[in-house]
Amino acid sequence: MKAFLKAGIMALMVGLFSVTVTADPSEPSVPGKTLIIDVRTPGEYQQSHVNGAINIPYDLIATRISAVAPNHDEPIVLYCHSGRRAGIAENTLREMGYGHVANKGGIEDMRRAGYGAN
């Protein structure tokens, strides 16, 4: 029980003191280029992320996607830690009318696929 409580408090602290990193809306996406979105928490993103990826947590994707991908035909790649949150984000985007969305699994899957990460 103590470990569960401690983990919950740590998650709350990370959430309270994290800053979400998102793409600058004044820099529109480049047509024909795939947009890479890390749907993990800001803390996870700050620890390591794929080069060129922007951070939009999966539970905020519906309200923030239009700032970086106003074109619903733009190719979008999503990843998280294991692929579960990316799958949720993929479903959300498809329901919103985005047609070229791919869940690429976790950050390690992205590395194995040749995406550089820092």
Side-chain angles (χ1 to χ4, degrees), residues 102-116:
N103 173 358
K104 295 294 186 178
I107 190 168
E108 292 304 321
D109 297 315
M110 293 288 284
R111 286 185 176 124
R112 282 191 292 274
Y115 291 87

Side-chain angles (χ1 to χ4, degrees), residues 3-31:
F4 180 75
L5 183 58
K6 185 176 179 180
I9 290 171
M10 289 301 293
L12 179 61
M13 296 297 286
V14 168
L16 288 173
F17 296 106
S18 295
V19 175
T20 300
V21 179
T22 60
D24 182 348
S26 67
E27 295 181 25
S29 56
V30 177

Side-chain angles (χ1 to χ4, degrees), residues 10-11 19 28 30 35 48 60 62 70-71 74 78 84 89 92 98 111:
M10 289 301 293
V19 175
V30 177
L35 181 64
S48 177
L60 300 174
N71 178 356
E74 182 169 2
L78 306 168
R84 185 185 66 79
T92 300
Y98 286 86
R111 286 185 176 124

Side-chain angles (χ1 to χ4, degrees), residues 34-111:
T34 300
L35 181 64
I36 303 170
I37 301 177
D38 182 327
V39 298
R40 299 175 303 153
T41 66
E44 290 172 298
Y45 178 86
Q46 288 172 354
Q47 288 178 357
S48 177
H49 58 272
V50 169
N51 296 333
I54 61 167
N55 180 226
I56 304 176
Y58 80 99
D59 55 344
L60 300 174
I61 196 92
T63 60
R64 296 192 177 169
I65 191 65
S66 64
V68 296
N71 178 356
H72 286 221
D73 293 323
E74 182 169 2
I76 299 172
V77 166
L78 306 168
Y79 74 92
C80 58
H81 178 73
S82 67
R84 185 185 66 79
R85 291 175 283 181
I88 295 168
E90 177 186 19
N91 289 338
T92 300
L93 293 176
R94 290 193 182 280
E95 288 172 5
M96 294 176 67
Y98 286 86
H100 302 283
V101 182
N103 173 358
K104 295 294 186 178
I107 190 168
E108 292 304 321
D109 297 315
M110 293 288 284
R111 286 185 176 124

